[in-house]
């Protein structure tokens, strides 16, 4: 049962009922009304119960990140409880979970819409983080013009860009990389708009973090690939959700007041190894 009362609280929106979202919400959501959503309501119910049993005030609900109407419904519901002061976007699908079209619709378009719509209502002093991925750093650099298109194209026109058309996307991994690159560019552009309201938005790009989904991946057909990646990164291990929450806590606190529009890579050095170490692809 949620610990609540009749007075209005500051509200934090959390999307994606997974280990990363929960770790961040537990770190920064005390004393707040937390509206936690997931495409599968039962996932949100499970995380909400864990947190409510620990003294948090969490309301679970269903939300489809690929649908603007669903995002608007989430925001409207959240505003019933008080002013929206924080946002954590941990929702998304992985290359092994969904086809190309779904990855682009959820991870790329959906994240862009969420940042845009929350940015219209976030209060002064508010802040947010969105979770992208190290994958956005594992592809050739785009041109300045392509980066600008990803950053500034109106959300309803994003999926019509030539670089995002199905015939120009090689596979689900490429779609995922493009989505995460777009996330980082949208955060930069939205930071300007959020700043006009006195608010901040940043991005965290995790590497391999141990979650139930990651454990499934370790034991799946791509398991050797993942195990090789964290074995050959400088840290020599995968990360934990709490380590990602460490970064989020900084970004969403007064200590991060001068940080906005940035992406923080937290991957144990895997990207560094990919370019300049033993993980570098062999020609």
């Amino acid at each position: 049962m949620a610990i609540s009362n009749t007075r209005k609280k500051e509200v934090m929106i959390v999307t994606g009922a997974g280990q990363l979202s929960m770790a961040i919400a537990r770190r920064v959501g005390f004393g707040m009304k937390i509206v936690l959503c997931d495409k599968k309501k039962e996932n949100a119910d499970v995380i909400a119960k864990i947190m409510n049993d620990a003294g948090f005030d969490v309301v679970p609900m269903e939300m489809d990140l690929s649908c603007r109407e669903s995002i608007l419904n989430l925001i409207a519901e959240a505003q019933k409880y008080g002013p929206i002061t924080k946002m954590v976007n941990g929702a998304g699908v992985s290359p092994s979970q969904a086809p190309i079209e779904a990855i682009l619709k959820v991870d790329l378009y959906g994240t862009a819409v969420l940042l845009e719509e929350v940015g219209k209502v976030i209060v002064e002093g508010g802040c947010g983080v969105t979770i992208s991925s190290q994958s956005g750093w594992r592809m050739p650099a785009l041109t300045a013009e392509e980066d600008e298109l990803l950053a500034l194209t109106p959300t309803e026109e994003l999926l019509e860009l030539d670089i995002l058309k199905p015939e120009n996307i090689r596979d689900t991994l490429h779609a995922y990389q493009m989505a995460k690159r777009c996330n980082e560019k949208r955060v930069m552009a939205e930071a300007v708009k959020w700043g006009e309201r006195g608010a901040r938005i940043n991005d965290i790009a995790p590497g391999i973090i141990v979650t139930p989904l990651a454990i499934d991946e370790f034991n799946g057909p791509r398991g050797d690939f993942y195990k090789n990646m964290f074995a050959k990164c400088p840290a020599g291990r995968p990360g934990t959700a709490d380590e990602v929450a460490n970064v989020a806590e900084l970004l969403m606190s007064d200590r991060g007041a001068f940080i906005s529009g940035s992406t923080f890579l937290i991957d144990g050095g895997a990207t560094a190894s990919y370019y300049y170490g033993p993980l570098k692809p062999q020609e």
Side-chain angles (χ1 to χ4, degrees):
M1 181 178 179
I3 304 299
S4 187
N5 54 44
T6 56
R7 70 180 179 86
K8 289 205 168 187
K9 295 183 176 182
E10 293 185 358
V11 178
M12 177 165 66
I13 288 175
V14 181
T15 74
Q19 294 295 313
L20 287 180
S21 292
M22 181 169 66
I24 297 171
R26 288 177 70 104
R27 193 69 62 87
V28 302
F30 43 85
M32 303 184 72
K33 172 71 77 171
I34 301 171
V35 180
L36 170 68
C37 60
D38 196 277
K39 187 174 182 180
K40 294 182 178 180
K41 173 66 159 45
E42 57 268 29
N43 291 344
D45 290 338
V46 169
I47 299 296
K49 183 179 188 310
I50 293 171
M51 293 189 65
N52 286 332
D53 287 349
F56 291 89
D57 184 4
V58 184
V59 176
M61 66 178 292
E62 182 179 335
M63 191 275 287
D64 181 355
L65 187 62
S66 70
C67 174
R68 183 184 291 271
E69 182 180 1
S70 188
I71 291 171
L72 291 174
N73 287 340
L74 163 66
I75 292 171
E77 181 66 22
Q79 288 180 308
K80 294 177 182 178
Y81 299 103
I84 298 173
T85 62
K86 286 183 170 62
M87 181 208 74
V88 176
N89 177 35
V93 292
S94 74
S96 60
Q97 288 179 314
I100 289 171
E101 293 78 5
I103 291 170
L104 295 178
K105 186 73 171 176
V106 175
D107 289 10
L108 191 150
Y109 166 81
T111 296
V113 172
L114 182 70
L115 299 182
E116 175 184 33
E117 294 296 346
V118 173
K120 294 176 182 177
V121 300
I122 193 82
V123 300
E124 184 175 359
C127 57
V129 294
T130 190
I131 304 297
S132 63
S133 169
Q134 64 176 351
S135 285
W137 299 59
R138 301 290 179 82
M139 55 184 290
L142 300 177
T143 66
E145 291 77 13
E146 288 170 334
D147 278 338
E148 186 169 345
L149 286 171
L150 291 179
L152 299 177
T153 297
T155 48
E156 294 306 319
E157 299 173 19
L158 261 174
L159 297 182
E160 298 172 12
L161 292 175
D162 284 340
I163 57 174
L164 298 178
K165 287 182 177 176
E167 60 267 26
N168 294 322
I169 300 293
R170 295 187 301 276
D171 51 30
T172 57
L173 178 59
H174 184 209
Y176 188 73
Q177 290 173 331
M178 288 296 292
K180 298 310 179 180
R181 180 71 64 87
C182 184
N183 293 165
E184 296 169 10
K185 298 304 175 183
R186 296 307 282 201
V187 162
M188 293 180 74
E190 284 294 337
V192 178
K193 298 176 183 177
W194 284 45
E196 293 171 358
R197 299 179 62 86
R200 301 181 294 108
I201 179 69
N202 288 291
D203 174 67
I204 298 175
I208 299 174
I209 306 298
V210 178
T211 63
L213 176 62
I215 292 172
D216 287 342
E217 293 281 359
F218 297 161
N219 295 322
R222 288 165 58 86
D224 289 343
F225 169 81
Y226 288 112
K227 291 172 184 175
N228 180 63
M229 184 179 294
F230 64 70
K232 292 183 178 178
C233 76
R237 62 172 177 86
T240 66
D242 284 325
E243 288 175 302
V244 176
N246 289 339
V247 177
E249 183 179 23
L250 167 65
L251 297 177
M252 300 182 78
S253 73
D254 290 342
R255 290 176 297 159
F258 199 54
I259 307 171
S260 193
S262 295
T263 291
F264 286 75
L265 186 63
I266 173 169
D267 68 349
T271 299
S273 184
Y274 177 84
Y275 283 103
Y276 308 117
L279 284 175
K280 185 172 184 178
Q282 299 301 310
E283 298 295 339

